[in-house]
Structure formats: C-alpha cells, structure tokens
Amino acid sequence: MVSRRHFLLSSLALIGARGAWANAPTTSLRPHARREAVRIITADGLKGVLRRAALPGKVACAVADVETGLRLEAENGAAGLPPASVAKALTSLYALDILGADHRFQTKVIATGGLRGGVIQGDLILVGGGDPTLSTDHLAQMAKALKSAGVREVKGGFKLWDGALPYVRSIDPDQPDHVGYSPAISGLSLNYNRVHFEWKRAGQKWAVTMDARTEKYRPEVSTARMKVVTRTTPVYTYSDKGGADQWTVANAALGKGGSRWLPVRRPAEYTGDVFRTMARANGIVLGKPRKLKSLPKGEVLAQHSSAALSVLLRGMLKYSNNLMAEMIGMSASAASGRRPNSLKASADSMNRWAAGKYGMTSTRLVDHSGLGEKSRMTPNDLVGALIAARKGGQLKPLLKPFLMRDANGKVNKNHPIKVNAKTGTLNFVSGLGGFMTAADGTELAFAIFAADQSARSRIKRADRERPEGARGWNRKAKKMQQKLIERWGSVYGS
C-alpha cells in the first residue's frame, strides 16, 4: 500500500522533473511547480478549517516537511503577527548558538583589600552575572560560605554590581504595574524579580507581609512595602519612593486573607536586602547596600553557579518565564559583542542574527519573551528556522509536549498525532509553533499565529490582566490550532 504522503510527494516530484532528460539545465531549478501543485490540492481544505473556526482578527500559518524541507501549505505565511511566547523558541536557539548548551551563570561575592583575621579590609561586593534563577536559597548558601571562609566583619561597605545587563524597569511598560510577569531586569536579580505579598485579617485590619520566600526561607524585605488603604478601586497602586517599591492595596479587595506575587522594580537592591539578612543570620553584619557603576578587582570568597543553559531553557520553555527569556537573551547579546543598552537593542541583535542564521528577514522582535505587542514574526520565517534547528538536533528536546484533546476538550493521551511545541498567549493573541509527528511517523514543522489587533487596541492598561472577552477568544484560537494540526496529520501523514 502507498501512503497519501508518499503519493503526493512522489507525484509532485515527477511534475517538477518533467522534461529533465532533454536539454538539462546546468543548475538546479527551484521547485516552484511542486509547491504550487500542493497548494492547489490542499488550499480549499485549509481555508475551510479557518472559515469554520470563525476567529475574529487575522490568522497566519504554515507547515513543511522536516525531512525534505518541502513547504506543504500556508495561509498568510508571509504576514507578520505578534508571536507572543512563541518568540521564546527563537531566543532559545539564539542563546544556544551564542552561549552554548553548557554555559552557566555565575554570581559571586568578592572582597577588596583582602581578608585578615576574619576582617575584610575593604568592601564586600555582591556581583551579579545575569543568573535568571538566583534564589534566596542560593544567597543563603553564599552567606554560609562566607562564614566558612572565616569572615566575621567587613571594615568597608557592602556594595552591589548589576552591570552585566542593562537595567529595565518593566519588560513591557504597557502592562499594569502589579502583574508579576512583567518585572524589572538587571544583572543582579532574585526570585524571578518577584516579592511575595501575603495578608491576613486581624480584627478590623489586616496583617501584611512582604518577603522573599522560598520553601526553606521567608526573609522579610525593606525594599518593597505595602499599605492597605480604604477604597474599592484601583486594587493596587505603585510608586518609587525612598529607595523602595511602595505599594498600596484596596481594602475592599482583600477579604479574609490571601497572597500573590508582585513584581520587583529595584532588583539589585532587593537582592542586596535579602543577602544582608542571610549574612546577619551567619553572624556577619553588613551596612546598607550601595550600587557600583564599575566593578573593582577583588578576591572571590563565595560563588554560585546556575544549572547548565540547556536545563534553564527547558524550564524557561516549559513555564514560559518572561524574566528568564529576557535575561538569557540579553546575556547572549552581550556575549556576541557589545553589551546592549536596552531590551530593544538586544532584540535587534537577535533579529540580525536570525536573519543571517535562518533567513528570518521578516521577523521584528522588540524583546526576547514575546510580551511586547509590537513584536512581529511570520509563519514562513519560523518554519524555516524550525527545519534548520531540527537538523541540528537543538530545539525539539527542549520543547514540551502539546497535548491533543478530544471533541469534549479533554486530553487524549492516545491521540495518534504527537506534538512538541511552544505556545504563546496574550490577550486576543495566540501562537503555536513546533513539531508534529503524524500517525505514520512523518515529521512536520509548523507555525500558527492569530491576533485580533482591533480588540487589543480597545483594552485599557488597567484591564490588561483579565480583559473581557479575551479568554473566550483564546479558547477558540486553541481549538482552531488543533483542527489545523489534525488536518495536516491527515493530509500529509496518512
């Protein structure tokens, strides 16, 4: 028996090769005829899937055979739409190419002036190396290492250096101030630059805490402060005063108790605040930290190394962590040449790299996470990069499985099509890009982008966390994505 895929590809190859024996050209012809024939055979079916989805806005998609590189079909394949977190797939390839899979980020504690008799004669400096996964636990380990090294006192001051990366106040300034997925960025960051806010009813008032908690530690911080005020809306307000993040929260929104993570806007100071607490727990009293503009030479007394980059990227893609994407992307830009002075400048470096490496000349990203709505990527660009990356064996092992569902929306673990892909979701934006393996083992690379820019333009900044209608739109988009995947599996892999 001959599969439909084998019949299509074999027949189309004959169409493209007709007349090749007489007067053969000296150079190979581009297979326009093969792609056009596939498009004619399948276009009505693809358009039908999109028409039945009835998704407001614009949809762009493309699919190709991984083994041959043959572009099978597309709709608006050259149209640039916001990729949302699908952009993280490109950031991963960028970081792997520039930094290498075994790269590790280093955070160090150095001393100037030497250590004599347990006393550091100069300054103690906490040096950030751009580690996006640095946690309170790691700071505690470094503080303990200082004690083990014999440090009892610091004669000079306690200093911070975060200059490995540029400071960015918010990944996307158009997001509400209180959303944890758009924190600040610097070369010295902690706990994904989020602070834990918890409240409990205490009589007619509320007891509130702001801490840098992990499962093991819960140090309270002074660089982020919360005040409960009498009002209904807005739920949160933010201001930068007195060297700290100053928050207020509406009492009408609190109830009996609860918690949430809030973004940190002063990451270096936040990290220094927590390290100071951990050092004090080990008998080392440090003064109030001060940031340095340049890093002096000193003796390394303690350090922490992150996990290997390949491990970080797998976690970043699985949980779609924006801070990790931005810090890893900017670190790659810094390693490729001059340190970028802004997030956009770093994204521009990645755009140039993608154009040269994968021919992604129509892709214009403004960040590394896909959070900024001005980013644009075309399905054709992404599919081309996916095919090249698959041959290099780099990306697919890092992508998490995309679970197919049955007609009732329940996960179908026995679905014949297996998908490894990166999802992307913003309000009225949905993306999906990666690899699918059909029932007969055919592997395809695909990209699907959808956006209702008109609906997005009507959302007020304060409402961007949960705008009306966004969840319903995104559910329809995800159903459409599955229908497209099922179509491609049926047409090209059965």
Side-chain angles (χ1 to χ4, degrees):
M1 296 182 65
V2 180
S3 71
R4 175 185 287 192
R5 173 178 176 267
H6 181 271
F7 172 78
L8 284 173
L9 296 183
S10 298
S11 300
L12 292 169
L14 288 174
I15 293 172
R18 183 175 297 169
W21 296 110
N23 301 316
T26 57
T27 58
S28 298
L29 298 175
R30 293 176 63 84
H32 293 297
R34 296 173 64 190
R35 290 199 297 268
E36 180 65 9
V38 171
R39 190 193 68 78
I40 292 171
I41 292 171
T42 61
D44 288 342
L46 175 60
K47 290 182 181 297
V49 173
L50 300 179
R51 183 175 61 253
R52 287 187 292 274
L55 188 68
K58 189 171 185 178
V59 178
C61 62
V63 64
D65 186 281
V66 168
E67 183 180 352
T68 65
L70 182 66
R71 303 301 178 105
L72 300 173
E73 66 181 17
E75 181 70 19
N76 298 318
L81 290 178
S85 287
V86 179
K88 294 182 175 75
L90 184 63
T91 299
S92 298
L93 292 173
Y94 181 50
L96 287 169
D97 189 48
I98 302 299
L99 298 174
D102 296 327
H103 178 81
R104 296 173 187 267
F105 297 94
Q106 305 284 337
T107 305
K108 301 177 182 179
V109 181
I110 68 173
T112 63
L115 176 65
R116 293 199 295 273
V119 180
I120 293 174
Q121 300 302 306
D123 297 328
L124 184 74
I125 306 172
L126 181 60
V127 180
D131 184 357
T133 58
L134 187 70
S135 73
T136 297
D137 292 351
H138 302 144
L139 295 184
Q141 292 166 6
M142 287 193 289
K144 186 177 180 180
L146 285 182
K147 181 180 179 180
S148 299
V151 177
R152 295 182 293 103
E153 183 183 346
V154 178
K155 198 170 185 178
F158 175 36
K159 307 293 175 61
L160 309 170
W161 189 75
D162 65 346
L165 300 176
Y167 171 76
V168 178
R169 184 185 178 277
S170 176
I171 296 173
D172 179 14
D174 291 332
Q175 297 294 329
D177 286 327
H178 65 274
V179 294
Y181 55 77
S182 187
I185 302 169
S186 81
L188 187 58
S189 298
L190 182 70
N191 298 335
Y192 305 109
N193 287 345
R194 297 183 302 174
V195 62
H196 191 262
F197 164 46
E198 185 173 10
W199 64 94
K200 295 180 180 178
R201 192 68 183 254
Q204 298 301 312
K205 296 183 179 181
W206 287 265
V208 302
T209 57
M210 301 285 275
D211 61 57
R213 70 174 56 190
T214 60
E215 291 185 5
K216 193 173 183 180
Y217 300 100
R218 295 188 178 184
E220 293 194 22
V221 299
S222 62
T223 50
R225 302 166 188 170
M226 179 63 74
K227 181 180 180 182
V228 180
V229 298
T230 304
R231 67 168 185 258
T232 303
T233 58
V235 176
Y236 293 98
T237 68
Y238 169 82
S239 62
D240 184 346
K241 293 180 181 178
D245 293 334
Q246 304 283 356
W247 294 94
T248 72
V249 62
N251 64 343
L254 294 181
K256 293 183 179 180
S259 66
R260 73 168 291 162
W261 291 93
L262 293 171
V264 166
R265 303 292 176 211
R266 290 175 163 268
E269 291 87 342
Y270 172 58
T271 309
D273 185 10
V274 175
F275 184 75
R276 189 183 181 197
T277 299
M278 295 303 166
R280 186 167 60 248
N282 284 276
I284 305 168
V285 178
L286 302 176
K288 186 176 181 180
R290 184 171 64 85
K291 286 174 61 174
L292 294 170
K293 292 184 178 180
S294 60
L295 180 62
K297 293 182 179 181
E299 178 186 356
V300 177
L301 299 180
Q303 67 179 14
H304 168 73
S305 297
S306 74
L309 178 64
S310 58
V311 176
L312 299 187
L313 291 176
R314 185 175 291 109
M316 182 265 286
L317 291 168
K318 179 178 181 179
Y319 299 107
S320 205
N321 187 281
N322 292 333
L323 180 82
M324 291 182 71
E326 304 301 356
M327 292 185 67
I328 291 172
M330 286 200 290
S331 295
S333 294
S336 66
R338 190 170 59 184
R339 172 184 175 275
N341 59 15
S342 69
L343 184 53
K344 186 179 183 303
S346 182
D348 286 342
S349 294
M350 186 170 75
N351 292 336
R352 291 190 293 271
W353 168 86
K357 181 83 173 180
Y358 297 120
M360 299 179 71
T361 56
S362 298
T363 292
R364 299 286 184 274
L365 301 181
V366 299
D367 56 33
H368 299 285
S369 66
L371 185 58
E373 66 175 322
K374 292 183 179 179
S375 285
R376 295 292 182 270
M377 183 181 286
T378 71
N380 287 347
D381 270 2
L382 181 57
V383 166
L386 290 172
I387 292 172
R390 184 70 183 103
K391 291 177 181 178
Q394 294 176 304
L395 186 61
K396 188 177 179 180
L398 302 179
L399 294 172
K400 69 177 183 179
F402 176 83
L403 301 177
M404 301 291 283
R405 298 178 181 272
D406 61 21
N408 297 318
K410 295 182 179 180
V411 171
N412 181 4
K413 294 182 179 179
N414 297 318
H415 199 287
I417 300 174
K418 305 303 179 185
V419 182
N420 292 83
K422 182 69 192 81
T423 60
T425 303
L426 296 172
N427 296 320
F428 300 102
V429 171
S430 185
L432 185 67
F435 305 95
M436 56 175 284
T437 302
D440 72 341
T442 300
E443 188 173 15
L444 306 176
F446 70 92
I448 308 168
F449 299 138
D452 188 344
Q453 299 288 65
S454 177
R456 280 186 65 82
S457 66
R458 294 192 294 269
I459 305 173
K460 296 180 181 178
R461 182 174 183 268
D463 299 331
R464 291 198 170 192
E465 191 171 14
R466 294 185 183 90
E468 185 178 354
R471 287 189 177 183
W473 187 94
N474 284 89
R475 280 196 296 269
K476 290 182 68 174
K478 292 185 184 301
K479 288 181 181 179
M480 178 196 68
Q481 291 166 357
Q482 172 150 327
K483 292 295 184 183
L484 287 170
I485 290 171
E486 288 176 336
R487 165 181 164 69
W488 294 330
S490 175
V491 173
Y492 302 111
S494 62

